[in-house]
Amino acid sequence: MKQYLCSAGLVALCAGSATAGGIDRSGQSNGALFEKGRYLEFSFGYVEPQVSGTDLPLGPFPGGSQSGGVAGDFSLVGFSYKYDLNEKLSFALNVDRPFGADILYGTSSFNLGNTQASAKATAVTGLLRYKFNDAISVHGGLRAQRSDAFIRLQGAAYGPLNGYNVTLDDDTGLGYVVGVAYEKPEIALRVALTYNSAVEHEFDSAERFGATLIGSSVTEVKTPQSVNLDFQTGIAANTLIFGQIRWVDWSQLVLTPAAFGGATGGASLIEIEDTTTYTLGVGRKFNDTWSGAFSLTYEDSTDPLPSPLAPTDGRFGASLAGIYTKDNMKITAGINYTRLGDAQPETGTPDVARANFVDNDAFGIGIKVGFSF
């Protein structure tokens, strides 16, 4: 019973992270590493953001034109496999999509029309966990991440940069993971602290103005380091609370291709403030077959004038999950609704708002199927 509740809490926590609707998508979970025995898991999620805004006045132009829905729907797939090498040492392999972007402004927007950001990252992480005893363990491993991106700046708000675009070809970078955990199984208590290093990419880059090539170079980009603090504990028979605090160092995400940097004095194409995201939930086992979990997620606003490539600021969401267990199989299905914070994106120095984004949200669904052997 206690082991089952632990698993339910972590699955619901991951579902909340995956449906955030932003650049940080999977939450970089390593929950499979703490499953008992041999374990195999597949997951799928689908997120539908509703993000739109209105142009603000620009020079003699009065504003008011609409951006359209700028955030595209996206799917998430994941895979985890965990195996005990012996009584103290276990291994896990995780595949996820930790970061991504799918932004496209409608041509109806005078200020930002046809601005676009398309990016994806797929990571494969191998982890080892060593148990000193039933209470204390350490874990760590290596991560290989493959990423690519395309960014286009378009619209009157970009001035002389209107029409600039850059293609960042596929590249694979390496990072690492280290962590420590404390457990007290008799009360379903576990606290795990995990550090995910930055992953540095060297992208072959083609910069263009419209269709005209203006430069080819190698652009160094780091996807950010992060820290996850996961916790859970039983509070009554068949009931536990769980949560997570996740910090992401977005200041490491600097994107300055050579020609763009030369024209702007070394500016970055995208700037995101560091974020700290809090999740708190409760899990309840109803019988040997059915359990459920409910969680809330909060991320404070950090920058009311963000990049048009990430035009929201903060979020508050709720996730509801149902868990069905039969023999060695566990199926978790969940839904999430997230209210995205208002923002007024700007296009660079001086910091002047170019559009107004309010009353936006995202809806997501997800399913995970796990097998214990």
Side-chain angles (χ1 to χ4, degrees):
M1 177 271 293
K2 291 171 183 174
Q3 174 198 345
Y4 178 75
L5 282 175
C6 292
S7 301
L10 285 172
V11 167
L13 181 62
C14 293
S17 297
T19 54
I23 293 175
D24 189 12
R25 291 189 169 174
S26 76
Q28 297 178 306
S29 171
N30 58 4
L33 193 60
F34 295 93
E35 294 285 346
K36 299 295 184 182
R38 188 180 301 183
Y39 180 74
L40 179 66
E41 180 182 271
F42 302 92
S43 64
F44 174 80
Y46 184 80
V47 182
E48 186 178 88
Q50 302 292 332
V51 180
S52 61
T54 304
D55 284 1
L56 292 174
L58 178 67
F61 300 97
S65 56
Q66 303 297 307
S67 70
V70 305
D73 301 349
F74 61 91
S75 60
L76 293 166
V77 294
F79 166 84
S80 296
Y81 175 73
K82 182 257 181 180
Y83 178 75
D84 289 332
L85 300 173
N86 54 48
E87 292 183 354
K88 290 186 174 294
L89 189 64
S90 55
F91 166 79
L93 180 70
N94 295 329
V95 180
D96 68 342
R97 294 176 178 173
F99 307 109
D102 191 1
I103 297 291
L104 176 61
Y105 284 73
T107 55
S108 59
S109 170
F110 177 77
N111 290 355
L112 299 167
N114 223 26
T115 291
Q116 182 177 3
S118 176
K120 63 179 182 293
T122 301
V124 179
T125 307
L127 296 169
L128 290 173
R129 181 189 181 210
Y130 182 79
K131 298 175 64 175
F132 293 100
N133 49 48
D134 288 340
I136 299 174
S137 64
V138 294
H139 54 274
L142 295 176
R143 171 173 289 130
Q145 180 175 281
R146 189 161 185 82
S147 305
D148 64 79
F150 172 78
I151 293 175
R152 178 173 60 228
L153 309 181
Q154 198 145 342
Y158 282 106
L161 292 175
N162 180 6
Y164 169 86
N165 64 85
V166 59
T167 301
L168 308 176
D169 288 341
D170 283 342
D171 179 73
T172 299
L174 296 177
Y176 62 90
V177 179
V178 293
V180 61
Y182 173 78
E183 296 176 277
K184 196 173 182 179
E186 58 268 26
I187 61 170
L189 170 67
R190 177 163 70 239
V191 180
L193 181 67
T194 303
Y195 170 76
N196 302 285
S197 78
V199 176
E200 184 169 337
H201 291 280
E202 295 183 350
F203 294 107
D204 290 333
S205 306
E207 297 177 84
R208 294 179 171 85
F209 199 86
T212 302
L213 183 68
I214 59 174
S216 297
S217 61
V218 174
T219 303
E220 295 184 359
V221 180
K222 288 183 180 179
T223 57
Q225 64 181 347
S226 64
V227 177
N228 288 3
L229 176 63
D230 297 287
F231 58 90
Q232 62 177 54
T233 185
I235 56 173
N238 298 321
T239 306
L240 87 166
I241 59 171
F242 61 90
Q244 183 190 68
I245 301 173
R246 174 170 167 80
W247 170 79
V248 184
D249 185 12
W250 290 108
S251 62
Q252 290 190 314
L253 183 60
V254 176
L255 177 54
T256 309
F260 179 83
T264 61
S268 175
L269 272 167
I270 184 168
E271 295 181 359
I272 303 176
E273 298 293 325
D274 298 349
T275 57
T276 302
T277 307
Y278 304 90
T279 301
L280 183 64
V282 60
R284 174 73 178 175
K285 181 177 179 180
F286 306 120
N287 52 50
D288 290 341
T289 302
W290 290 99
S291 297
F294 175 77
S295 62
L296 297 174
T297 299
Y298 172 77
E299 183 180 293
D300 197 10
S301 59
T302 59
D303 183 5
L305 296 171
S307 165
L309 306 181
T312 63
D313 185 28
R315 57 188 170 96
F316 180 74
S319 297
L320 181 65
I323 303 99
Y324 173 80
T325 301
K326 181 67 173 179
D327 299 326
N328 71 327
M329 181 180 67
K330 179 173 60 181
I331 301 174
T332 301
I335 59 174
N336 170 274
Y337 175 78
T338 295
R339 189 73 173 176
L340 302 172
D342 298 344
Q344 293 185 317
E346 55 91 12
T347 53
T349 305
D351 292 336
V352 177
R354 303 304 190 187
N356 192 32
F357 279 72
V358 298
D359 297 332
N360 292 304
D361 54 19
F363 177 78
I365 58 173
I367 187 168
K368 290 190 178 187
V369 181
F371 299 91
S372 299
F373 302 91

